[in-house]
Amino acid sequence: AVHQLLLLDDRVDVLDYDSFRTNDARAARDASRDAGRIPLLRHKWDEANAIANRVREQIVALNLDPVPFTEGTAEHVIRWTEGGVECRAMLDWLRDDLSVIDDLKTTTDASPRGFQRKVWNIRYDIQAAFYLRAVSAWLGEMSHTIKPRFRWVAVETEYPYLVTVHEPDKLALENADARVDEALRVWADCLAADSWPGYP
């Protein structure tokens, strides 16, 4: 819900129930989900709004240029084909001027050291390289002149919901890009052979 609020999405249905224990509450929840929306109890909505507002204040206070999640499009989907592989990326936020891709990450530890560990453990660097590749494919010939930056906006999930912003450096992106190349090659080989081996 915080993710949706920060990205200015309107897919949340606020339900005026204390819990989902009653039949009426469960029916409302299920109807919301069936409609492709996110059902949220009123008290959870209030909590999510408080968190989102706190996060917005911190983002503005960081004095970043440009300010994350402004003047752009939320959940921008790009599809392209590369090396015979159908690819798809859904960017949390793409600025209208194509200067920055912002990616929101909730975490228990947004400290610079803590989030850096998470980047390498979960391989967020590969996601960054893949998303940058998506924009390049989408732009085609214009990609030679337009080179967006990639930023993770890390938000802690517990009060006071501290925020940090991180950018991968050139070397990290080059290494991650090589991993994307390898993944696409393996995927294409598996598709061609219809063989999906596990560990050797």
Side-chain angles (χ1 to χ4, degrees), residues 35 42 71 87 91 122 129 152:
R42 171 68 62 187
E71 298 178 28
C87 299
L91 287 56
I122 300 182
W152 294 289

Side-chain angles (χ1 to χ4, degrees), residues 83-85 184-196:
V85 174
L184 290 172
R185 184 193 62 74
V186 169
W187 187 258
D189 290 349
C190 290
L191 281 172
D194 194 22
S195 173
W196 307 90

Side-chain angles (χ1 to χ4, degrees), residues 82-83 85 126 129-130 133 174-190:
E82 187 169 335
V85 174
I126 294 173
F130 192 69
R133 190 177 289 219
E174 286 173 354
N175 289 334
D177 213 38
R179 297 290 296 269
V180 173
D181 285 337
E182 176 67 6
L184 290 172
R185 184 193 62 74
V186 169
W187 187 258
D189 290 349
C190 290

Side-chain angles (χ1 to χ4, degrees), residues 56-106:
R56 281 190 203 98
E57 290 168 5
Q58 290 182 73
I59 287 173
V60 169
L62 289 172
N63 292 319
L64 297 170
D65 184 27
V67 176
F69 309 122
T70 58
E71 298 178 28
T73 304
E75 297 186 339
H76 185 94
V77 176
I78 300 173
R79 291 181 175 87
W80 76 104
T81 302
E82 187 169 335
V85 174
E86 296 294 321
C87 299
R88 178 184 183 275
M90 186 165 72
L91 287 56
D92 279 354
W93 194 269
L94 179 62
R95 282 188 59 82
D96 292 336
D97 64 5
L98 308 178
S99 62
V100 180
I101 300 167
D102 285 320
D103 192 71
L104 179 65
K105 296 292 186 201
T106 54

Side-chain angles (χ1 to χ4, degrees), residues 9-48:
D9 203 330
D10 63 352
R11 289 182 295 167
V12 176
D13 284 332
V14 182
L15 306 178
D16 287 313
Y17 298 98
D18 293 333
S19 71
F20 290 121
R21 287 191 294 268
T22 67
N23 289 337
D24 287 347
R26 285 194 293 271
R29 176 196 63 199
D30 294 345
S32 176
R33 287 180 179 160
D34 289 345
R37 299 179 60 78
I38 301 167
L40 206 63
L41 298 170
R42 171 68 62 187
H43 69 276
K44 290 293 186 182
W45 169 255
D46 292 341
E47 181 183 351

